[in-house]
Amino acid sequence: MIGLISATAAGAAARDRLAAAWPDRTRVYEGPVQDAVRTAFAQCEQLVCFLATGAVVRLVAPLLSGKTEDPGVVCVDEGGRFAVSLLGGHAGGANELAREVGDLLGAEPVVTTATDAVDLAGLDTLGLPVEGDVAGVSRALLDGEAVALRAEVAWPLPPLPVAEEGSYTIRLTDRLVAAAERQAVLRPPTLVVGVGASKGAPVEEVLGLVEDALRDAGLSVASVAELATVDAKAEEAGIVEAARRLGVPLVTYCAEELAGVDVPNPSDAPLAAVGTPSVAEAAALVGGGELLVPKRKSAASPAMATCAVVRRPGRGRLAVVGLGPGARDLLTPRAKAELRRASVLVGLDQYVDQIRDLLRPGTRILESGLGAEEERARTAVEEARTGQAVALIGSGDAGVYAMASPALAEASDDIDVIGVPGVTAALAAGAILGAPLGHDHVSISLSDLHTPWEVIERRVRAAAEADIVVTFYNPRSRGRDWQLPKALGILAEHRTPRTPVGVVRNASRPDESSRLTTLGALDPATVDMMTVVTVGNTATRDIAGRMVTPRGYRWQSAQEGSE
């Protein structure tokens, strides 16, 4: 919950805007400011104070406990010009909150955390437990000193400016090791602990068994991702409480699924009790991985709990990102976040140039020229399979005549694939022209490099006969100058010469141009590969110089009847 505190009418107005925008995330604290801050500080994960920073410093100073316990605090000035991350920039989430508040109120976020200020991913912001000389290693990264990454397990990390060798080290491991001097240890959640228990098994026995098994195998409890068991034990108090104390989810599987998992130590006892010859080993192994600790019983007599530990391989992450039509303000926030998250970027060189300034230091860029779509898709998938966080970029929407199709054709279920939608050229052109896509519409590429012309012509003819608005992609190039006239001729068989046609070149880019013409007047020679051509249907009209397709024919009939 975010506590909101103000002292003046102007502050209250901005406070109320936040409260209205985030009704489920915020709580307004009224009354004397000192009392409001003290109460909110104790009750909330974050605070937004519409007060001077000096006043907030004096108010919260007596309340501070520690970096990991204190809430994040953001201050907004009386004029609403700045949102200052004052306390808990990373641990309390104040840096991100300042950006969110700034976006909502039109204020400039002020973030002074060193790593954020120079756009480095802070080691304590990666979502992984981190130990050791975090401050020293972070300082070395900031100072440009050589910092080596020792990855003992594969795990997708954001970009970090690391080297092969260095006097400082980031160690990525699930082993039970102490951080050496000048070393920070990151704990990826690679371990799955399968657990079985008799009815009424005490939590101390379950938890003690898990901790002993991990310690004896030299594994860190901080790398446990989940406890897993059979669904018949989903409500077993000892298992449920053990998961809660470990701070991990409890995942359950049906007996039939567990019975199908090949395990080294099956038993008749669980088969008779819950319908599967293995609970602990099977539940740990159901998602695949390396069995590090075979089934082990607790030391109690009689033993009421069993466990097994599996290391699941780190899954690479492939984000297929649509960059939109070219304008920076049409690049979505989600796309920006994925670009900043990726340690490897794969894309066409001219698209890389569009967003190079958004990439974090340390991002590895794999760029190539025109005509290498399949190669780029294979490269992106191969990089993801090594456990990297990869972004594969394309213009417009990556799923529309772009990189998503070849990438997903290459990808199997051994990596995570995330699709990030983008504004397509058809949508960008449509917004410039007016509302040409107000009713049913279709996009057709006239490039026959990948699709036989016979197929393209059949699709154009179907759209013509169905009276659907058509947007033509790749309409004309130096080597393909006859396809657009042919397609327009097919549409002319079903639409009058007065049918509105919109022509937009380089939509949303600095050299954007557009014009509204008609099917009879359009000169195909004025069109090139940077252009999209939108041909209206029989209801499309030129209204005040804008191309408009009504949402329904009844509306159009009513309009005509009133003329």
Side-chain angles (χ1 to χ4, degrees):
M1 185 63 65
I2 303 171
L4 305 180
I5 300 138
S6 63
T8 66
R15 175 203 68 191
D16 292 344
R17 286 177 61 191
L18 278 189
W22 300 336
D24 299 327
R25 298 177 60 191
T26 57
R27 180 187 302 163
V28 173
Y29 286 80
E30 305 276 11
V33 170
Q34 184 173 2
D35 294 340
V37 169
R38 184 184 300 110
T39 304
F41 199 91
Q43 295 179 347
C44 298
E45 292 82 19
Q46 296 174 319
L47 278 69
V48 178
C49 299
F50 296 87
L51 305 164
T53 54
V56 177
V57 168
R58 287 188 290 273
L59 289 169
V60 302
L63 309 176
L64 300 180
S65 298
K67 182 176 181 179
T68 59
E69 293 84 19
D70 296 330
V73 179
V74 170
C75 293
V76 179
D77 67 287
E78 184 76 6
R81 296 172 301 166
F82 303 103
V84 182
S85 174
L86 184 69
L87 177 69
H90 283 170
N95 292 350
E96 183 57 35
L97 180 60
R99 296 185 182 100
E100 289 187 83
V101 171
D103 286 343
L104 188 60
L105 299 181
E108 178 72 21
V110 178
V111 176
T112 58
T113 306
T115 49
D116 289 51
V118 297
D119 210 21
L120 282 176
L123 297 181
D124 55 351
T125 67
L126 304 183
L128 304 179
V130 59
E131 308 162 8
D133 187 11
V134 179
V137 174
S138 298
R139 193 162 48 247
L141 288 170
L142 288 167
D143 291 343
E145 295 188 44
V147 177
L149 175 63
R150 299 284 180 262
E152 299 172 18
V153 291
W155 197 261
L157 293 176
L160 294 167
V162 293
E164 291 288 332
E165 300 292 338
S167 55
Y168 290 84
T169 307
I170 299 170
R171 186 174 179 182
L172 183 69
T173 183
D174 56 16
R175 306 297 302 177
L176 185 59
V177 295
E181 186 180 359
R182 295 188 171 190
Q183 184 179 83
V185 178
L186 292 172
R187 304 289 190 187
T190 55
L191 305 177
V192 178
V193 180
V195 178
S198 302
K199 184 175 178 59
V203 61
E204 290 77 12
E205 183 173 345
V206 176
L207 189 59
L209 171 63
V210 170
E211 291 175 340
D212 289 347
L214 291 167
R215 184 183 60 253
D216 293 348
L219 300 170
S220 173
V221 69
S223 282
V224 174
E226 62 189 42
L227 293 193
T229 191
V230 66
D231 56 8
K233 296 295 179 179
E235 304 296 328
E236 187 63 48
I239 295 178
V240 172
E241 179 62 14
R244 189 193 70 79
R245 293 190 191 180
L246 289 169
V248 298
L250 176 62
V251 179
T252 62
Y253 301 95
C254 67
E256 292 78 9
E257 186 172 5
L258 296 184
V261 178
D262 186 27
V263 298
N265 300 293
S267 173
D268 292 335
L271 180 61
V274 294
T276 172
S278 173
V279 173
E281 287 181 339
L285 283 166
V286 70
E290 177 188 4
L291 182 63
L292 302 179
V293 179
K295 183 176 70 174
R296 172 172 172 165
K297 294 183 179 180
S298 56
S301 183
M304 299 184 72
T306 60
C307 81
V309 183
V310 164
R311 176 187 288 138
R312 288 186 182 169
R315 290 174 64 86
R317 190 175 192 276
L318 173 61
V320 187
V321 181
L323 300 181
R328 179 57 60 85
D329 60 352
L330 292 182
L331 178 66
T332 68
R334 188 180 301 178
K336 291 180 183 178
E338 289 294 344
L339 294 175
R340 293 169 56 78
R341 176 173 181 164
S343 59
V344 180
L345 182 85
V346 182
L348 180 66
D349 48 13
Q350 64 189 57
Y351 297 152
V352 172
D353 289 341
Q354 289 180 24
I355 48 83
R356 196 183 296 271
D357 63 300
L358 296 177
L359 304 178
R360 277 182 158 154
T363 305
R364 185 156 54 95
I365 300 172
L366 304 176
E367 54 187 315
S368 53
L370 286 168
E373 288 87 355
E374 288 78 9
E375 180 183 345
R376 283 195 291 275
R378 282 193 297 270
T379 297
V381 171
E382 288 167 2
E383 290 288 336
R385 284 185 176 137
T386 67
Q388 302 289 333
V390 181
L392 174 63
I393 60 173
S395 66
D397 182 282
V400 180
Y401 304 123
M403 295 305 301
S405 293
L408 268 62
E410 291 284 338
S412 50
D413 62 0
D414 57 344
I415 61 173
D416 295 324
V417 179
I418 296 90
V420 182
V423 178
T424 68
L427 295 178
I432 293 165
L433 294 170
L437 309 182
H439 205 288
D440 297 336
H441 54 274
V442 63
S443 296
I444 299 176
S445 171
L446 295 183
S447 172
D448 54 1
L449 295 177
H450 299 286
T451 306
W453 174 255
E454 293 76 15
V455 175
I456 297 172
E457 181 175 338
R458 187 165 67 247
R459 292 171 180 172
V460 174
R461 195 169 298 281
E465 293 174 352
D467 198 29
I468 296 176
V469 175
V470 181
T471 296
F472 288 123
Y473 279 71
N474 305 312
R476 185 176 181 274
S477 68
R478 292 174 185 166
R480 296 185 301 98
D481 58 1
W482 58 268
Q483 287 91 340
L484 179 59
K486 177 68 173 177
L488 295 174
I490 294 171
L491 292 176
E493 297 173 10
H494 299 269
R495 303 176 195 185
T496 70
R498 294 182 299 137
T499 302
V501 174
V503 180
V504 180
R505 189 177 189 277
N506 284 331
S508 87
R509 300 186 183 185
D511 55 347
E512 169 191 297
S513 63
S514 65
R515 67 183 189 278
L516 186 58
T517 182
T518 64
L519 186 58
L522 175 62
D523 179 4
T526 62
V527 173
D528 62 13
M529 282 289 287
M530 305 304 293
T531 307
V532 290
V533 177
T534 300
V535 182
N537 65 12
T538 57
T540 304
R541 295 290 183 268
D542 177 345
I543 301 176
R546 302 180 183 92
M547 188 175 177
V548 180
T549 302
R551 292 181 61 187
Y553 285 84
R554 293 179 180 176
W555 177 88
Q556 184 66 31
S557 298
Q559 288 290 103
E560 291 173 346
S562 64
E563 292 177 356

